[in-house]
Amino acid sequence: MSDWVATVPALVRRIPAAAWLCALVAVCNAACWSLITPPFAVPDEPSHFAYVKQIAENGALPSSNALDFSREEEVTLHDLGEAPFSFMAPTGAIASRAQQAALQRDLHQTASEPRRGSPTAGRATSQPPLYYLLETVPYLIGYHATLLTRLELMRLLSALFAGVTAMFAFLFVREVLPGRRPAWTAAGLSVALAPLLGFMSGAVNPDSLLFAVSAVLFWALARAFRLGLTVRRAALIGAALAAGLVTKVNFVGLVPGAVLGLGVLALRMPGPTRRSAWRAFGLGSAIAAAPVALVAFIHLVSGGRTLGLISSAASLVHGSL
């Protein structure tokens, strides 16, 4: 374990300055998007905020996909002219002084009232909790501020994930094209300045962490293909898979290809090292499967469906076919 801990600072020191620059550009770009995008004008942001609020205020995960949010959020959405329904287009930012005065009055009033989360979080309810658990940190830092201040602090954490995405895009291309230095920076900056990355990472949305974890996974696989599969590299790939699976359901689409990649890596190893490579493959796969197994165990012990709301959603889809 001590060897692993000592390796982290060494790896950080080996990251080129250009990669850090790409990360900085991505963070600044997403932070700008967070400031110019009206509050709750990003798809499903009211639901994602409600998910975080439920964890931070009540210490529990949401349990219903209804749209009856907490009083504090409902009042703010009303004053902003934003409907909580994710399928309705945003109406735009408020424009008059009277609207602004009403918003500020209600923000300070609801901030001073006893606050509770809501067990309902709309479409976000079926998502895994990792992103929302991380977002409770900026939420609690701004706990005594108004709701919109907390929202902006949470958006800035998402902006940091954009920096991780751009940095690992740089590092991924470095592994794939080790002799093409200009391509590394071009890739990192292209990702850093991508409008979709800035927009989604400038909001409270788990896509920001999904992008970052996916970039780490691609880099880890590319590095293993270039240098060979070891226990550490397999564990890193497994950890990226595990993190992705507890970040957003959509990440499951990357799992088959990543597991196939691990298998190909094990097969490519020379004969004398192939046995240890297959052990590394088993370790990486076990780490990746651990969070899914844990969630299934918790739900089975509690008497619920195996994967909770995800299982319910899957049964609805199956029944409609």
Side-chain angles (χ1 to χ4, degrees), residues 249-306:
V249 174
N250 307 49
F251 185 84
V252 73
L254 296 179
V255 174
V259 174
L260 177 62
L262 272 172
V264 171
L265 284 165
L267 286 171
R268 285 180 44 172
M269 296 300 290
T273 60
R274 189 167 297 170
R275 178 172 295 184
S276 62
W278 281 113
R279 285 198 294 267
F281 170 86
L283 174 64
S285 300
I287 293 174
V292 178
L294 179 61
V295 169
F297 175 77
I298 291 173
H299 283 291
L300 288 173
V301 169
S302 62
R305 290 178 176 267
T306 306

Side-chain angles (χ1 to χ4, degrees), residues 60-240:
L61 298 177
S63 56
S64 169
N65 59 3
L67 291 165
D68 301 320
F69 300 144
S70 66
R71 166 178 155 74
E72 183 183 31
E73 186 172 354
E74 292 279 5
V75 169
T76 303
L77 287 170
H78 176 270
D79 289 348
L80 289 169
E82 295 289 346
F85 306 104
S86 57
F87 53 81
M88 293 182 65
T91 58
I94 59 177
S96 70
R97 291 185 177 179
Q99 289 174 317
Q100 181 67 25
L103 173 63
Q104 291 298 325
R105 181 188 65 247
D106 289 341
L107 282 173
H108 287 90
Q109 178 181 336
T110 54
S112 62
E113 295 174 354
R115 295 203 298 262
R116 295 286 291 173
S118 169
T120 64
R123 291 183 177 182
T125 303
S126 61
Q127 295 298 336
L130 178 59
Y131 171 78
Y132 305 99
L133 288 169
L134 295 174
E135 283 288 10
T136 60
V137 175
Y139 183 97
L140 293 174
I141 289 174
Y143 188 77
H144 297 291
T146 65
L147 182 146
L148 292 187
T149 299
R150 277 172 271 146
L151 178 70
E152 179 57 28
L153 290 173
M154 293 160 67
R155 283 180 165 190
L156 291 177
L157 177 60
S158 291
L160 293 179
F161 296 143
V164 175
T165 304
M167 174 180 288
F168 279 91
F170 177 106
L171 296 175
F172 168 75
V173 175
R174 185 176 71 163
E175 296 297 334
V176 175
L177 302 172
R180 304 291 181 88
R181 287 180 175 270
W184 311 346
T185 305
L189 288 177
S190 296
V191 171
L193 296 173
L196 181 61
L197 178 69
F199 178 62
M200 298 308 295
S201 297
V204 178
N205 194 299
D207 282 355
S208 59
L209 184 57
L210 175 68
F211 297 154
V213 173
S214 300
V216 173
L217 174 63
F218 294 156
W219 166 77
L221 282 166
R223 186 166 180 80
F225 269 98
R226 187 169 74 89
L227 300 176
L229 185 66
T230 63
V231 170
R232 288 186 180 183
R233 293 179 191 129
L236 179 59
I237 293 169

Side-chain angles (χ1 to χ4, degrees), residues 18-37:
W20 290 105
L21 177 61
C22 292
L24 178 61
V25 171
V27 171
C28 292
N29 184 40
C32 289
W33 276 96
S34 77
L35 294 171
I36 65 175
T37 305

